[in-house]
Amino acid sequence: MDRAFFTDPHSYFGTNPRKELEKQDAELMREISLTSATRFPLLKAPSMTKASAFPKLTDKGGQRYVSEANPAIKFSHGTTTLAFVFKGGVLVSVDSRASMGSYIGSGTVKKVIPIHKYLIGTMAGGAADCSFWERNLAMQCRLHELREGKRISVAAASKLLGNVVFQYRGYGLSMGTMIAGMDEKKGPALFYVDSDGTRLKGNLFSVGSGATYAYGILDNEYDPDMDEKAAVELGKRAIYHATHRDAYSGGTINTFVIRESTGYEQVFKGDMNELHYGQYAEEAAAEAAAEAGDAKVSMDES
């Protein structure tokens, strides 16, 4: 099997605009070197690659995320994913809605992609891009494990993914993923990788159109020393608030925990509406009743 596609996709397809420009510049310099001073082509410049070779996401035509190459291609989408490191490992929580503009494409998307027993990735952006490249990463991690005799570190796995998508920068990929896992020696680790090749290490990330709402809960309640029960509840609540406020997020809340002893495990799966009208409605009613009771007591004392 020819694996040149994965190592150098531009050369494989013969579509690297930078190499084309370098080739044209070399031809121009060779022509200049063979030309006498009296015939120096002052006004000649290397020809430029067509703008369509560099697709960009812009606001062209009043639409969000429209390709410059083809205005009919619209990339409107949304999601909410989050992950954070806690005392017992790493927690990952996601929604399950896939949207295409104002149309809900699916309500049951699995946005957590297993890479191996101690490593998982999340999906935000283009579903096909995230799914394909994270499954390709799973293949590379398995090959590393077979070659080296030990599982790959979270940092190395995220670097592999970042290197691959960096080769496609400017070609229309849409990815905002988190690589979360448990290292054999260093313990829990979390990295953010996007389609521009950006790679960041941190203890807490939220990605997607509902990320600002999730951050509102996480910034207020996150504690790196919290236990697993508190971490699961925080992940559920943050995704719930995001799905409640963000039209592009919704469906089922899926929460995973990666432990050193057992690897990744799904610890919660539930519809956000059931939480809204069930557990959280009961908690709100109990708080309201408690506040009303305290107010009555204070009035009686006065």
Side-chain angles (χ1 to χ4, degrees), residues 82-86 90-91 178 190-192 200-207 211 214-224 226 234:
L82 65 87
F84 58 81
V85 177
F86 67 98
V90 186
L91 179 131
M178 293 173 287
L190 175 63
F191 287 83
Y192 164 80
L200 302 172
K201 182 179 181 180
N203 290 328
L204 185 153
F205 291 111
S206 183
V207 185
Y215 271 128
I217 303 299
L218 293 171
D219 290 342
N220 187 50
E221 299 184 19
Y222 172 68
D223 179 3
M226 64 173 52
L234 176 59

Side-chain angles (χ1 to χ4, degrees), residues 74-78 97-106 248:
K74 301 177 177 61
F75 299 105
S76 296
H77 43 247
R97 175 173 292 180
S99 56
M100 296 182 287
S102 58
Y103 175 74
I104 299 175
S106 174
Y248 298 100

